[in-house]
């Protein structure tokens, strides 16, 4: 874990955090989050591992052995005594000391699209305000000047359920989308045995390069003239922002496109991550983070089906397969970041749009369940090796340590060194906080 500026200060903060355990309404929590966020040593990167469809908490991180709702999966021991995961996550179990399991998450939306918006923004998609996704908000706060690489990259999103809008923050804070998947098929098909993660139309054509300077000069002259005559026009200004960012990305001095060339990595490492789009996406996330990208979202949304964790039928066969893919990609990412000295400056959040029902359906499946489910935080800024929150023996309700999406996003913001109370002005002129909840002080390092 990263150290604060003085040992005595760190001890005081940790004491305060422990004293606040379970007191979500304590007035000390905003002050604690602010103190942590203001320390310059805590400026971090963030990787969101998004599980499209909603993963089953009972078959991953909140097992219910011996109960009828528990299913056939067995528990296994982890690197932390007393902490147990699913048998299908053995490599992640070795990293348990860096993971904080949040078992008391409870939300209020069970529809895929609306829940995706809720978990990404902290708000339901209602009313006139277009709320930004957490990736846009945090990458804006973490950005360090203009760079050739974007501050926010989204890998393999399933577009019908992708809540990646920058909202009222505008086009400058939209994600660069890599290997997007739509309902018509999978654009991350394997060609050399590995999933191909590419940025569409990123390679400039020779004819464009030959005429680039003349075209850019003409475009900038026309654009500047129009904007001077229409200073309040937001759409042309957004167009200019997106266009300039694309030019910088394709032609900048940092050779940004090389970050997406996964063939530069050793084959053994690529295999360890896993050959699919999620594993290779985790590898790409590491390459982007080490080049300074503030926020990377990697979605597990393989194939034209798009939302693999939506296991209404045959849950256990599917979750076993998905867990193996998750275990390889996430565990290797943890090891890779640690070996490169990046884990202490990179915070990882694992979540989906909701959990799955404790009761098993007649088709051996689990349905949507937002009442009591789990998320996991890991890496920098996180006090790993423990569990916050507890569900009842049958998994139906939160028995202790209940948190909502605002609390989860506030905890993430504090972990990466951003005050959750940081405000941005909406298009309506209303100040909107990055996160409306209270940080879970007990899991902050």
């Amino acid at each position: 874990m990263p150290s604060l500026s003085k040992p005595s200060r760190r001890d005081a903060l940790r004491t305060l955090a422990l004293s606040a355990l379970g007191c979500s309404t304590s007035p000390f929590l905003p002050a604690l989050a602010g103190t942590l966020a203001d320390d310059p040593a805590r400026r971090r990167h963030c990787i969101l591992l998004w599980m499209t469809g909603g993963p089953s908490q009972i078959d991953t991180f909140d097992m219910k052995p011996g109960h009828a709702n528990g299913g056939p999966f067995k528990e296994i021991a982890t690197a932390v005594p007393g902490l147990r995961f699913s048998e299908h996550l053995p490599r992640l179990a070795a990293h348990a000391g860096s993971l904080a399991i949040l078992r008391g998450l409870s939300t209020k939306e069970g529809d895929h699209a609306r829940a995706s918006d809720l978990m990404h923004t902290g708000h339901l998609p209602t009313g006139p305000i277009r709320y930004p996704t957490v990736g846009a908000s945090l990458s804006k706060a973490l950005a360090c000047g203009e760079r050739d690489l974007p501050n926010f990259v989204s890998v393999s999103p399933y577009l019908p359920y992708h809540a990646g809008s920058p909202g009222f923050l505008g086009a400058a804070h939209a994600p660069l989308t890599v290997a997007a998947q739509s309902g018509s098929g999978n654009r991350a098909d394997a060609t050399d045995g590995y999933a191909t993660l590419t940025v569409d139309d990123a390679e400039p054509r020779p004819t464009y390069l030959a005429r680039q300077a003349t075209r850019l000069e003409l475009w900038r002259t026309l654009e500047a003239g129009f904007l001077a005559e229409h200073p309040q026009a937001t759409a042309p200004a957004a167009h200019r922002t997106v266009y300039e960012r694309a030019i910088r990305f394709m032609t900048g001095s940092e050779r940004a496109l090389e970050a997406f060339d996964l063939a530069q990595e050793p084959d053994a490492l690529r295999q360890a991550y896993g050959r699919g789009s999620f594993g290779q996406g985790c590898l790409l996330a590491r390459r982007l983070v080490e080049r300074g990208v503030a926020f990377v979202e990697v979605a597990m949304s393989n194939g034209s089906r798009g939302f693999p964790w939506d296991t209404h039928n045959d849950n256990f066969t599917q979750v076993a397969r998905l867990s193996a893919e998750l275990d390889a990609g996430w565990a290797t990412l943890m090891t890779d970041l640690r070996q490169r000295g990046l884990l202490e400056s990179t915070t990882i959040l694992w979540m989906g749009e909701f959990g799955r029902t404790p009761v098993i359906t007649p088709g051996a499946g689990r349905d949507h369940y937002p009442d009591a489910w789990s998320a996991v935080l890991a890496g920098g800024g996180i006090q790993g090796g423990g569990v916050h929150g507890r569900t009842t023996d049958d998994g139906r309700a939160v028995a202790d340590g209940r948190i909502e999406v605002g609390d989860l996003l506030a905890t993430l913001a504090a972990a990466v060194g951003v005050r959750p109370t940081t405000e941005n002005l909406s298009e309506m002129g209303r100040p909107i906080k990055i996160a409306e909840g209270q940080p879970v002080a007990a899991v902050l390092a």
Side-chain angles (χ1 to χ4, degrees), residues 141-431:
L142 293 170
C144 298
E146 293 291 338
R147 305 174 63 256
D148 293 344
L149 280 167
N151 291 308
F152 178 18
V153 177
S154 179
V155 183
S156 297
Y158 180 61
L159 294 180
Y161 293 131
H162 178 45
S165 169
F168 58 72
L169 294 181
H173 303 287
L176 172 69
T177 301
V178 180
Q181 297 174 7
S182 67
S184 60
N186 183 357
R187 296 169 61 190
D189 294 326
T191 56
D192 60 353
Y194 296 103
T196 302
L197 303 179
T198 58
V199 181
D200 288 346
D201 302 318
E203 293 286 352
R205 298 176 180 178
T207 52
Y208 174 81
L209 291 174
R211 302 174 183 175
Q212 173 179 305
T214 303
R215 290 182 174 182
L216 286 180
E217 182 180 0
L218 175 61
W219 170 73
R220 286 180 172 133
T221 299
L222 295 172
E223 193 92 349
F226 184 88
L227 288 173
E229 294 178 3
H230 303 82
Q232 304 301 320
T234 57
H239 174 268
R240 184 178 197 176
T241 297
V242 172
Y243 204 93
E244 291 283 7
R245 188 175 73 169
I247 293 168
R248 191 166 61 247
F249 173 65
M250 291 191 293
T251 63
S253 59
E254 294 181 20
R255 299 184 64 82
L257 285 172
E258 288 189 357
F260 300 87
D261 184 6
L262 301 185
Q264 294 182 359
E265 297 289 338
D267 190 66
L269 181 61
R270 296 191 72 182
Q271 289 189 46
Y273 270 99
R275 294 178 177 273
S277 59
F278 178 74
Q280 295 302 290
C282 288
L283 173 56
L284 176 58
R286 188 271 291 167
R287 289 176 62 85
L288 292 170
V289 162
E290 69 181 344
R291 287 164 171 80
V293 175
F295 195 103
V296 184
E297 177 173 357
V298 182
M300 184 181 287
S301 53
N302 302 337
S304 60
R305 182 170 180 266
F307 38 107
W309 290 97
D310 195 29
T311 53
H312 290 281
N313 294 287
D314 196 21
N315 171 82
F316 303 103
T317 300
Q318 295 185 67
V319 171
R321 174 180 53 79
L322 293 166
S323 294
E325 188 176 358
L326 174 67
D327 195 48
W330 187 0
T332 305
L333 175 63
M334 298 280 289
T335 300
D336 206 1
L337 289 171
R338 180 177 283 112
Q339 291 177 346
R340 294 168 187 269
L342 292 169
L343 186 59
E344 291 188 351
S345 61
T346 305
T347 305
I348 299 170
L349 170 60
W350 176 88
M351 68 174 179
E353 55 262 49
F354 37 62
R356 313 301 299 184
T357 53
V359 175
I360 302 168
T361 68
R366 298 190 189 272
D367 295 332
H368 303 180
Y369 200 72
D371 292 357
W373 52 294
S374 301
V376 181
L377 285 161
I382 298 301
Q383 182 66 39
V387 174
H388 179 83
R390 178 176 61 85
T391 56
T392 54
D393 291 344
D394 60 6
R396 289 175 178 265
V398 176
D400 183 53
R402 182 182 183 275
I403 63 170
E404 298 182 359
V405 58
D407 306 316
L408 178 62
L409 297 184
T411 307
L412 177 65
V416 299
V418 175
R419 281 178 174 264
T421 54
T422 300
E423 293 180 339
N424 294 293
L425 282 179
S426 73
E427 64 266 65
M428 312 292 291
R430 173 185 165 190

Side-chain angles (χ1 to χ4, degrees), residues 67-130:
H67 195 280
N69 293 346
F73 291 173
K74 296 181 175 61
E75 287 186 313
I76 58 170
T78 71
V80 177
L83 180 59
R84 294 177 175 273
F85 296 165
S86 161
E87 63 182 309
H88 298 293
L89 300 172
R91 295 172 63 179
L92 273 175
H95 291 279
S98 298
L99 307 181
I101 316 302
L102 302 170
R103 289 178 176 165
L105 190 57
S106 182
T107 53
K108 299 176 181 179
E109 184 56 62
D111 173 76
H112 283 294
R114 288 172 58 83
S116 294
D117 279 337
L118 174 63
M119 297 308 299
H120 277 88
T121 69
H123 301 271
L124 286 171
T126 57
I129 296 178
R130 299 177 302 118

